[in-house]
Amino acid sequence: MKEYQTITEISGPLVYAEVDEAIGYDEIVEIETAQGETLRGQVLESSEGVVAIQVFEGTSGIDQNASVRFLGETMKMPVTEDLLGRVLDGSGRPIDDGPEIVPEERQDIVGAAINPYSREYPEEFIETGVSAIDGMNTLVRGQKLPIFSSSGQPHSELAMQIARQASVPEEEEGDDEEGSEFAVIFGAMGITQEEANEFMEDFERTGALERSVVFMNLADDPAVERTVTPRMVLTTAEYLAFEKDYHVLVILTDMTNYCEALREIGAAREEVPGRRGYPGYMYTDLAQLYERAGRIQGREGSVTQIPILTMPGDDDTHPIPDLTGYITEGQIYVDPDLNSQGLQPPINVLPSLSRLMDDGIGEGLTREDHADVKDQMFAAYAEGEDLRDLVNIVGREALSELDNKYLDFADAFESEFVDQGFDQNRDIEETLEIGWDLLSMLPKDALNRIDEEFIEEYYREEDSERQVVEAAD
Amino acid sequence: MSKAESTETTPSEDGVIQSVSGPVVSARDLDARMNDVVYVGDEGLMGEVIEIEGDITTIQVYEETSGVAPGEPVENTGEPLSVDLGPGMLDAIYDGVQRPLDVLEGKMGSPYLDRGVDAPGIDLEEEWEFEPTVEVGDEVGRGDVVGVVEETVTIDHKVMVPPDALDEGETTEVTAVESGSFDVTETVAELANGTDVSMHQEWPVREARPSENKKTPRTPLVSGQRILDGLFPIAKGGTAAIPGPFGSGKTVTQHQLAKYADADIIVYVGCGERGNEMTEVIEDFPELEDPANGNPLMARTSLIANTSNMPVAARESCIYTGITIAEYYRDMGYDVALMADSTSRWAEAMREISSRLEEMPGEEGYPAYLAARLAQFYERAGYFENVNGTEGSVSAIGAVSPPGGDFSEPVTQNTLRIVKTFWALDADLAERRHFPSINWNESYSLYKDQLDPWFEDEVADDWAEKRQWAVDVLDEETELQEIVQLVGKDALPDDQQLTLEVARYLREAYLQQNAFHPVDTYCPPEKTYLMLTTIETFNDEAFKALEAGVPVEEIVDTESAPRINRIGVQEDYEEYVEELKADITEELRSLY
């Protein structure tokens, strides 16, 4: 391995060095500074005679006398089942004083695309115990369902609640210990130490740590390192899922910080920027992360992703949520208004969506009336929401009896269905029963999205009056 | 360059890689023409020449370039990117450069797409039963059919004289013709001018296949979707755009069209979209029945899946691969419908490559040639008279994914300048789960007038009048809703309240359609028409009742009218509608 002391230019996170051999694109580089510190980087552009290197830890301390070593391989993640229970830094090195990790394999972190022909369509319901998700925007194994939030919202609590409660109903009936093959991989990118502590404490309190792998790139860690953290996370996830048969839930937070890091590198390379200064290839880049969720035919495990992103200015047309929404299979909105009303979790179900839900619910999966109940609740809640604006102008008295019922429904939907608290775990049966309690506030013939059979079976005839009174209180 | 022949071609001048930056590689000393296909590096990654400057050639590579280093060789094939055309394209699933994904899975022995593995677009060894339709001594021109092969249960694949074998108008004699089992490379007919006709043709993807001329399309592409057939129809050979923000139902609409449109052949291009969605198509389509004949849907479908995480350059080419396959079936005289989901991802792929080339950007960073490329693509659709005298069509339906759902962005705008049907998806409708969430105020179809005669002949004489009635009611509702937002519904006069009620049935029963309900998912035009007339019956009777002094509340509270909402799910809809119309009339008349 040759060493070079040929750095010609240092600019932001980039270092340019002259070389006299062929260096592969994406190859890993070690740079040793005069102080004896070793920094790691990656080849971003390779031409004859000169390469551009992106340094993960930042370029401070590097001078033109620093020596550059090319390792002759692209970035790899050492993977083994023993990673479970461990805490690593953003580049995959252990930081928990545990024993040395003996890798079983070293896998390329730039995962190859899964052949769509080899995929298996996700249709196994995951019970998160959160009504607003299970009932209205169901998550399935192998799905990528991001949480769209904004600064100051309790998205972390929601993510923790999902990580804690997520299970697949059939498994609970099995006699061997429930969820034994379930693993959580947590990738933190640029979050604060405090936020990270919350996650860690929750993991330790609930004993979830032993079935988790934690990757920590904190706010004060180098930004460039953030571009590799999620790839480390997903490589580990794929290994555990497709080679060790785990059902892996990946939580990535915060994708906004990841995208900022991409922009930083793009700017340093003087690339032509796309919207709002983010690189034009951000869609492709994000797709290469999100698309690593899924199931593969003939393999037991699955990778389910819940990326969290904070929308700058709570604006979902911002490039980060926008591009994410086009790649992921739906999204869960955390709503600041609902949060200030004290709803826990403050999920706004109307703009939220789970694209894979229709195949994951219904008879034999959840319950035969699930799809109809969901449709009707969406329609009724939307109707009630609309009427709220009107009430502000004309007052309740000016509305018809039915409209008043819709208003009551919308209120009750928020207070009873959505607001369940971060510690309550509801099974799907309970969620749907609450749904019927609420729908029974409406007259039977307003339930035009529900099959008559189900109305016969589940509609609460005599209770309906009581419900209205209760909700109106 | 077609992969079917890659092993036989001897490369011309080889070059050496000079630099690598993502999917863009530049090479020195490569003797190549624009758009030639080259093999890059020791692993032989497939790429295409996109810029030549002095002795430096710039190449876009269709595969991941990690680890590729300067100094590695570049091999030129001397041919442009082409597709293999022949039997076997239906019931197949390809990536963006027509590599069959099922074959790749076998070759790579892994569920992941590795690099440097190649496979021809059609199986070169599979034998097909060739039945000649010409005899020795017959005169044939370019594009003429010399025989047929049963490609799938649904489709007879016609073996044609390649369009470049003869000049326009020229004919030649058939000197030999075979019959029996052959693979696609074997000669099945010989022509006097020396051409050997086999079942396999190649065609460069960026070049439209020749045709005699383009005609005005006059037959609708019946989709079985009420809002499309009823209000905004597309013609066979027409173009349509479906723009909408994420979550508004572009993909479901495209899937519905692929499943139920009455085209002979469907080419579905998943361009930069989700892997799981493509898997859904792969799993569902073989099990679904073709509504026209009950055969599996895959028997008429060719899928191109270039998911968002596959290399960006292949995404740029997948649209061309798709339309070339579509044109080939058009030449046989078939009606082909091509769905491209999504053209925005295609445009973004162009942008990404363009910015790597450091070209001067146009609007929002898109290359200045964006509009031209979009126009070229949609112009390859149309109702054609083919070179062999048959008629065939290619309908192109492109989804557009505007950032933030803002239709003023360049891809949407440039698309709208070309296409004649516009199905605007609406996030508000999607949020209240009104599906398909096509906004009836913003959408339009410029084919309406030329298609009305067909609907009037085939479905009902007053098809156009009824549509106009529905449009008028919906327009009036939009205006009234603005007032309702201010003063509430009860402040409106009785007749306007009733109009709102009628409009509500139009929205909830007629415009909404449940794609996941086994019956409602496909609605033949007859049913679409009957549903509309039922609502009109309610409208007419209700207004008569109102005139006779019946209070609007009583009219709205009738028991029979809400059954309109259930017409969609009725299998025996004719009987149901007849009964319902009678009940509505009777009940409303009993009020006065």
Side-chain angles (χ1 to χ4, degrees):
Chain A
M1 201 185 317
K2 255 179 148 174
E3 274 201 32
Y4 295 90
Q5 279 193 322
T6 52
I7 293 175
T8 52
E9 186 186 334
I10 304 168
S11 139
L14 301 187
V15 167
Y16 294 83
E18 285 176 359
V19 290
D20 59 6
E21 62 183 332
I23 302 298
Y25 175 69
D26 261 1
E27 238 178 61
I28 291 300
V29 185
E30 276 181 5
I31 298 176
E32 206 173 312
T33 64
Q35 292 78 35
E37 201 187 348
T38 305
L39 305 168
R40 291 206 297 171
Q42 194 173 10
V43 174
L44 269 192
E45 189 169 334
S46 172
S47 312
E48 280 176 333
V50 62
V51 292
I53 302 158
Q54 141 191 339
V55 185
F56 300 133
E57 287 92 343
T59 45
S60 78
I62 301 180
D63 60 13
Q64 297 199 316
N65 299 318
S67 62
V68 180
R69 273 194 306 275
F70 295 93
L71 304 188
E73 61 167 24
T74 51
M75 192 123 177
K76 302 273 197 296
M77 171 75 203
V79 285
T80 154
E81 232 173 320
D82 297 339
L83 282 171
L84 288 168
R86 301 300 299 269
V87 183
L88 314 170
D89 72 0
S91 305
R93 288 173 293 216
I95 48 170
D96 58 357
D97 306 322
E100 201 188 327
I101 293 169
V102 185
E104 211 162 292
E105 268 179 62
R106 298 177 71 249
Q107 291 187 339
D108 208 320
I109 64 158
V110 184
I114 302 177
N115 187 335
Y117 187 80
S118 311
R119 278 180 187 266
E120 189 162 320
Y121 191 63
E123 43 199 0
E124 270 178 300
F125 164 60
I126 299 181
E127 193 172 82
T128 64
V130 179
S131 290
I133 296 177
D134 290 352
M136 310 297 281
N137 297 291
T138 316
L139 178 69
V140 297
R141 270 184 183 163
Q143 185 172 15
K144 38 197 180 293
L145 189 66
I147 297 175
F148 283 13
S149 183
S150 45
S151 310
Q153 302 302 312
H155 42 260
S156 305
E157 281 82 350
L158 177 59
M160 280 186 276
Q161 185 176 18
I162 295 171
R164 212 165 44 227
Q165 300 180 349
S167 67
V168 174
E170 296 97 331
E171 270 179 5
E172 286 172 7
E173 288 155 24
D175 39 346
D176 56 349
E177 64 280 41
E178 174 242 315
S180 60
E181 36 158 30
F182 189 73
V184 177
I185 304 190
F186 179 75
M189 291 165 285
I191 64 170
T192 59
Q193 183 71 53
E194 261 173 66
E195 272 178 281
N197 288 348
E198 272 174 43
F199 273 102
M200 291 307 297
E201 278 162 21
D202 196 73
F203 279 163
E204 275 162 24
R205 182 170 60 84
T206 58
L209 188 60
E210 54 192 87
R211 56 182 176 105
S212 308
V213 189
V214 178
F215 289 78
M216 287 280 180
N217 169 284
L218 298 179
D220 55 353
D221 287 335
V224 181
E225 189 185 79
R226 269 162 224 165
T227 60
V228 296
T229 306
R231 294 187 163 79
M232 296 274 173
V233 168
L234 290 162
T235 305
T236 311
E238 281 172 352
Y239 172 79
L240 290 175
F242 302 130
E243 283 169 46
K244 297 292 169 192
D245 296 346
Y246 283 86
H247 290 292
V248 183
L249 179 69
V250 175
I251 297 174
L252 295 170
T253 181
D254 174 338
M255 289 307 293
T256 306
N257 295 333
Y258 171 81
C259 294
E260 302 280 332
L262 276 189
R263 178 162 72 175
E264 191 181 326
I265 295 165
R269 294 182 65 191
E270 297 174 10
E271 290 170 345
V272 183
R275 273 211 305 154
R276 302 222 191 167
Y278 291 95
Y281 49 80
M282 195 159 84
Y283 178 82
T284 308
D285 193 279
L286 286 173
Q288 280 166 352
L289 300 180
Y290 296 141
E291 277 290 332
R292 290 173 82 173
R295 304 187 55 201
I296 293 179
Q297 279 176 31
R299 312 273 170 112
E300 282 296 313
S302 62
V303 176
T304 309
Q305 277 189 34
I306 302 190
I308 298 172
L309 49 93
T310 48
M311 301 184 281
D314 200 28
D315 170 16
D316 64 4
T317 66
H318 184 280
I320 300 171
D322 191 53
L323 296 178
T324 299
Y326 277 121
I327 305 165
T328 54
E329 284 133 356
Q331 63 280 332
I332 301 290
Y333 276 85
V334 169
D335 188 304
D337 287 341
L338 296 181
N339 186 41
S340 65
Q341 287 170 35
L343 263 65
Q344 286 183 337
I347 295 175
N348 186 354
V349 300
L350 291 178
S352 301
L353 171 74
S354 163
R355 290 165 188 273
L356 302 181
M357 121 172 249
D358 291 291
D359 292 299
I361 62 171
E363 207 170 346
L365 298 158
T366 54
R367 211 170 78 177
E368 73 279 6
D369 58 329
H370 190 164
D372 286 5
V373 168
K374 167 208 60 154
D375 286 345
Q376 191 68 59
M377 290 217 283
F378 267 119
Y381 182 52
E383 182 83 40
E385 267 276 78
D386 276 359
L387 289 165
R388 282 178 180 166
D389 296 337
L390 188 55
V391 164
N392 289 336
I393 304 169
V394 298
R396 266 203 174 222
E397 296 71 31
L399 296 182
S400 67
E401 196 190 340
L402 183 63
D403 285 350
N404 272 303
K405 283 184 178 165
Y406 276 122
L407 279 170
D408 292 337
F409 175 87
D411 292 342
F413 180 82
E414 285 169 8
S415 62
E416 291 176 29
F417 192 84
V418 179
D419 185 16
Q420 65 180 84
F422 288 118
D423 293 317
Q424 197 187 2
N425 188 354
R426 286 183 186 159
D427 65 21
I428 185 66
E429 195 73 21
E430 192 180 351
T431 293
L432 289 174
E433 286 305 318
I434 297 173
W436 274 106
D437 286 344
L438 299 175
L439 286 176
S440 300
M441 296 166 65
L442 301 170
K444 255 189 194 178
D445 51 0
L447 304 182
N448 57 356
R449 312 238 178 165
I450 303 184
D451 202 285
E452 276 150 352
E453 234 178 89
F454 302 141
I455 298 185
E456 273 324 297
E457 191 175 343
Y458 295 106
Y459 190 77
R460 323 264 193 258
E461 294 288 350
E462 59 285 17
D463 288 358
S464 58
E465 283 306 311
R466 187 183 59 82
Q467 287 289 340
V468 175
V469 177
E470 249 179 312
D473 284 346
Chain B
M1 167 63 213
S2 144
K3 292 153 308 259
E5 283 193 0
S6 58
T7 43
E8 297 146 34
T9 356
T10 38
S12 47
E13 280 302 298
D14 286 358
V16 175
I17 296 178
Q18 196 208 26
S19 76
V20 187
S21 164
V24 174
V25 167
S26 51
R28 218 170 352 96
D29 302 331
L30 184 72
D31 179 20
R33 289 168 302 178
M34 274 298 269
N35 296 109
D36 274 359
V37 166
V38 295
Y39 289 100
V40 174
D42 297 332
E43 288 176 90
L45 310 178
M46 191 172 164
E48 185 180 352
V49 174
I50 50 170
E51 195 177 81
I52 299 171
E53 200 182 336
D55 66 344
I56 303 295
T57 309
T58 309
I59 299 156
Q60 63 175 2
V61 182
Y62 294 126
E63 298 177 76
E64 177 68 42
T65 52
S66 285
V68 174
E72 290 184 23
V74 178
E75 178 190 314
N76 185 20
T77 62
E79 303 217 18
L81 182 66
S82 302
V83 285
D84 294 311
L85 301 166
M89 291 190 293
L90 297 178
D91 199 4
I93 166 159
Y94 295 121
D95 78 350
V97 287
Q98 212 208 2
R99 296 186 302 177
L101 290 171
D102 49 345
V103 176
L104 291 188
E105 185 192 34
K107 274 197 166 181
M108 294 169 181
S110 125
Y112 297 101
L113 289 170
D114 286 339
R115 307 189 303 185
V117 181
D118 223 340
I122 49 177
D123 191 333
L124 300 179
E125 274 146 38
E126 187 172 354
E127 300 217 332
W128 301 88
E129 200 60 34
F130 177 79
E131 244 181 82
T133 53
V134 291
E135 288 170 10
V136 172
D138 285 356
E139 285 286 319
V140 291
R142 56 179 193 154
D144 279 352
V145 176
V146 296
V148 292
V149 163
E150 190 188 313
E151 184 174 359
T152 65
V153 282
T154 316
I155 296 299
D156 280 338
H157 188 102
K158 296 177 183 153
V159 179
M160 298 173 290
V161 176
D164 46 6
L166 293 157
D167 286 333
E168 202 178 333
E170 193 189 342
T171 60
T172 185
E173 201 175 301
V174 178
T175 53
V177 63
E178 308 280 344
S179 167
S181 234
F182 297 96
D183 71 34
V184 294
T185 56
E186 287 174 281
T187 302
V188 290
E190 286 168 27
L191 308 183
N193 75 344
T195 308
D196 291 340
V197 181
S198 71
M199 290 184 247
H200 170 238
Q201 289 189 20
E202 275 174 32
W203 197 263
V205 295
R206 294 182 201 278
E207 195 179 313
R209 283 176 68 86
S211 66
E212 208 57 51
N213 64 50
K214 229 176 181 178
K215 300 176 121 184
T216 309
R218 299 200 183 276
T219 332
L221 183 73
V222 176
S223 62
Q225 310 304 304
R226 283 190 289 274
I227 184 164
L228 304 187
D229 294 342
L231 298 185
F232 312 111
I234 176 177
K236 287 202 172 87
T239 50
I242 317 180
F246 60 81
S248 57
K250 284 183 298 296
T251 302
V252 176
T253 309
Q254 291 273 37
H255 282 192
Q256 287 299 93
L257 284 164
K259 286 175 189 166
Y260 300 116
D262 67 340
D264 300 313
I265 306 279
I266 302 287
V267 179
Y268 193 96
V269 186
C271 175
E273 289 288 308
R274 303 176 181 89
N276 281 333
E277 270 170 8
M278 290 316 299
T279 309
E280 184 187 9
V281 174
I282 300 168
E283 285 187 10
D284 280 3
F285 276 33
E287 278 161 33
L288 287 169
E289 278 183 13
D290 185 338
N293 47 34
N295 295 332
L297 263 184
M298 271 313 279
R300 65 161 192 179
T301 310
S302 186
L303 290 176
I304 295 165
N306 196 262
T307 57
S308 54
N309 54 340
M310 290 191 198
V312 66
R315 196 189 307 158
E316 194 269 333
S317 67
C318 68
I319 293 275
Y320 295 107
T321 302
I323 195 118
T324 310
I325 293 175
E327 283 174 338
Y328 187 65
Y329 283 101
R330 174 208 74 194
D331 284 347
M332 297 178 203
Y334 288 118
D335 291 315
V336 187
L338 175 121
M339 282 92 200
D341 184 14
S342 143
T343 56
S344 293
R345 304 294 160 236
W346 175 51
E348 279 164 16
M350 278 188 242
R351 174 168 73 182
E352 200 172 321
I353 303 284
S354 161
S355 95
R356 300 246 185 204
L357 289 178
E358 296 175 359
E359 290 174 342
M360 183 73 83
E363 215 180 334
E364 288 198 20
Y366 286 104
Y369 47 79
L370 171 73
R373 293 275 172 89
L374 280 166
Q376 274 166 11
F377 163 66
Y378 283 107
E379 268 305 289
R380 287 173 76 170
Y383 195 93
F384 290 90
E385 193 185 325
N386 296 323
V387 290
N388 57 14
T390 57
E391 287 185 358
S393 67
V394 174
S395 317
I397 299 158
V400 184
S401 320
D406 171 13
F407 290 173
S408 67
E409 58 92 38
V411 182
T412 316
Q413 284 307 313
N414 285 313
T415 304
L416 286 186
R417 279 164 46 200
I418 313 156
V419 300
K420 295 181 82 177
T421 315
F422 174 53
W423 298 323
L425 294 171
D426 187 318
D428 276 349
L429 291 175
E431 243 178 58
R432 53 184 64 223
R433 300 317 191 248
H434 174 118
F435 287 119
S437 53
I438 295 170
N439 184 311
W440 51 92
N441 291 318
E442 284 181 47
S443 304
Y444 59 78
S445 164
L446 301 180
Y447 296 111
K448 260 194 302 207
D449 296 335
Q450 68 210 56
L451 297 178
D452 278 345
W454 186 93
F455 282 111
E456 284 161 5
D457 286 349
E458 302 287 325
V459 188
D461 292 341
D462 53 357
W463 176 272
E465 282 161 46
K466 293 283 185 265
R467 179 185 58 221
Q468 196 52 47
W469 170 76
V471 171
D472 289 345
V473 174
L474 289 168
D475 281 350
E476 197 179 342
E477 188 206 21
T478 310
E479 280 170 32
L480 292 177
Q481 284 295 358
E482 283 172 21
I483 306 173
V484 170
Q485 289 302 319
L486 294 175
V487 298
K489 194 166 154 188
D490 288 353
L492 292 181
D494 285 358
D495 60 331
Q496 293 188 344
Q497 284 191 41
L498 198 52
T499 303
L500 286 181
E501 183 71 5
V502 173
R504 195 173 61 83
Y505 282 119
L506 281 175
R507 275 191 290 111
E508 290 182 0
Y510 185 70
L511 298 182
Q512 285 190 37
Q513 190 170 349
N514 186 349
F516 299 99
H517 190 283
V519 177
D520 199 24
T521 182
Y522 174 74
C523 185
E526 291 75 19
K527 189 174 176 182
T528 299
Y529 173 79
L530 283 179
M531 189 182 269
L532 196 52
T533 56
T534 315
I535 301 174
E536 203 189 20
T537 304
F538 169 73
N539 175 73
D540 296 351
E541 292 299 327
F543 274 97
K544 274 189 216 158
L546 191 69
E547 259 168 51
V550 182
V552 69
E553 292 78 20
E554 275 184 43
I555 298 175
V556 171
D557 264 354
T558 50
E559 300 227 318
S560 49
R563 275 159 54 201
I564 292 173
N565 287 324
R566 308 219 181 256
I567 300 176
V569 299
Q570 302 301 323
E571 210 154 348
D572 298 318
Y573 57 90
E574 277 158 336
E575 211 174 295
Y576 183 91
V577 162
E578 209 166 300
E579 207 177 295
L580 178 57
K581 279 184 182 171
D583 289 352
I584 289 175
T585 312
E586 195 190 333
E587 193 183 357
L588 283 167
R589 288 192 183 169
S590 71
L591 297 175
Y592 57 94

